[in-house]
Amino acid sequence: MNVLRKNFLGFVLALASAIVMVGANSAMAASAGDLDRNAKQALDTLYKAHPVAETLSQSAKGILVFPNIVKAGLVFGGSYGEGVLLKGSEVADYYNSITGSWGLQAGAQSYAYAVFLMTDEAVSYLEKTKGWEIGVGPTVVLVDEGLAKNLSTSSLKNDAYAFIFSQQGLMAGLSIEGTKISRINR
């Protein structure tokens, strides 16, 4: 019975790794020009769905945009995507987002996310660290439908606001996960 359990766990780990690697390879294939264009299109999509995001962009010191994150998991999971840091309308740098997770989870999905960095300190932290772990460093608030309706430039008090959008696929479960954002060379 113990051998069967180990074999099943090995199979699940191998399957989740294979799914994530296939998704990661397609996400990594974009050139700098493609990534720039995809990030700006993703922001346009976000602004249409959440006009408050466009309002935030006018005060943001930087916007970190990941136009395509691919996530998959079966007990063990992960996600990967590449994005850009925009300062004004110009691309300042390139980053990747890597997440690992463990728990009761199954499925695959893709999504986009944007983090509006509202202070010079938040931008500086991102640029100076060798990898920003979400939950460590500047305070990031995940903007959901309820918060988006009540958010205004006069109520901004946090370092960063994140929007998740353009979700496709199905991922279900309860898991523990961590995300790390790191600078990459393009």
Side-chain angles (χ1 to χ4, degrees):
M1 177 104 173
N2 210 6
V3 172
L4 182 61
R5 192 176 304 159
K6 283 182 183 179
N7 286 339
F8 177 73
L9 184 59
F11 171 75
V12 168
L13 181 59
L15 179 63
S17 298
I19 291 170
V20 170
M21 292 311 292
V22 167
N25 285 337
S26 67
M28 288 188 292
S31 69
D34 290 339
L35 195 52
D36 297 353
R37 188 173 38 263
N38 292 343
K40 289 179 182 176
Q41 288 174 347
L43 275 180
D44 288 341
T45 300
L46 174 61
Y47 295 159
K48 287 177 186 168
H50 299 284
V52 71
E54 190 167 15
T55 303
L56 279 178
S57 73
Q58 295 165 5
S59 332
K61 304 296 182 181
I63 305 171
L64 194 54
V65 184
F66 292 94
N68 186 34
I69 301 288
V70 177
K71 180 177 184 176
L74 185 61
V75 180
F76 295 96
S79 67
Y80 182 85
E82 294 180 349
V84 300
L85 173 62
L86 296 170
K87 290 183 179 177
S89 61
E90 300 298 316
V91 173
D93 226 331
Y94 297 92
Y95 289 83
N96 66 18
S97 175
I98 301 172
T99 301
S101 59
W102 177 83
L104 299 172
Q105 59 185 329
Q109 70 176 10
S110 67
Y111 57 94
Y113 77 89
V115 180
F116 293 80
L117 304 167
M118 304 309 293
T119 64
D120 289 324
E121 293 79 18
V123 173
S124 179
Y125 186 87
L126 175 67
E127 292 174 332
K128 290 180 181 175
T129 58
K130 295 211 184 284
W132 177 24
E133 295 178 38
I134 298 293
V136 177
T139 304
V140 179
V141 174
L142 181 61
V143 179
D144 61 11
E145 292 292 329
L147 181 59
K149 290 177 185 171
N150 298 315
L151 193 61
S152 69
T153 53
S154 62
S155 66
L156 298 177
K157 293 182 172 68
N158 292 289
D159 298 318
Y161 293 86
F163 291 81
I164 297 173
F165 57 101
S166 297
Q167 294 167 303
Q168 297 178 344
L170 181 61
M171 187 80 182
L174 299 169
S175 63
I176 297 171
E177 63 182 49
T179 299
K180 186 170 186 177
I181 298 171
S182 303
R183 182 179 294 137
I184 56 175
N185 295 321
R186 278 283 172 189

